[in-house]
Amino acid sequence: MRLVRVMRYGAWAFAIVLTLVVAYLTVNYYRRDTVLPGATVVAIGGPYRLQGTNGEIITEASFPGKAKALFFGFTHCPDVCPTTLFEAGNWLKALGPDAERMQMLYITVDPERDTVEQMTAYLTAFDPRIIGLSGTREEIDPVIREFRIYARKVPLEDGDYTMDHSAAVLLFRPDGSFAGTVDYTDPPETAISKLKRLVGAQ
Ligand code: NI
């Protein structure tokens, strides 16, 4: 009788300790995830399906095993886009053969004017490895939201419009996780060192 009671208490105590250990490990597992250096808590990105200037449909699953650098802009952009795309060509050259391990994508925030044909013509002025992506407004808007891009139409006095948009290049590891940004103000050495780290060359 006494032995049964001891065993019953023992079993309860064991169950309680086990529950506490599992709870502790679970909490710690998720907490540890948020303090890992370089890790990000904010989810950036999501599924997309757009038309590439290389004639293919490009999705988040395209270019398996490659890191990705995503840049959002529009072909009528007077400064940020052409500067960034020109610089991106220099980054790819600086990476040498390691540039094979990443894909740079230029996604329009102005699909009304930036048809695939317009994107293709525009990108001939830059490194041919950069692929442009376009689609319908309905396809582009969710991508802008998922990647937390700021893009706004600004009317001009002549009835035309320009786009105010985020200037950072978003970097993603081959597993799709967000690895940080190359900022518009980054000097070339900083940008190249970030990309080298991204492709595991540094
Ligand atoms: Ni731009």
Side-chain angles (χ1 to χ4, degrees), residues 71-82 84 106 109 122 163-167:
F71 179 57
F72 289 76
F74 68 117
T75 64
H76 289 67
C77 182
D79 40 41
V80 171
C81 291
T84 303
Y106 177 54
V109 295
Y122 179 72
M163 300 291 298
D164 202 6
H165 69 92
S166 307

Side-chain angles (χ1 to χ4, degrees), residues 20-39:
L20 288 174
V21 166
V22 169
Y24 174 78
L25 289 178
T26 307
V27 166
N28 242 28
Y29 177 79
Y30 287 107
R31 183 183 293 161
R32 199 185 54 185
D33 236 15
T34 62
V35 294
L36 270 181

Side-chain angles (χ1 to χ4, degrees), residues 147-163:
F147 285 89
R148 292 160 197 271
I149 289 299
Y150 168 78
R152 195 172 63 93
K153 211 175 253 197
V154 182
L156 295 174
E157 280 180 11
D158 59 4
D160 212 352
Y161 67 90
T162 187
M163 300 291 298

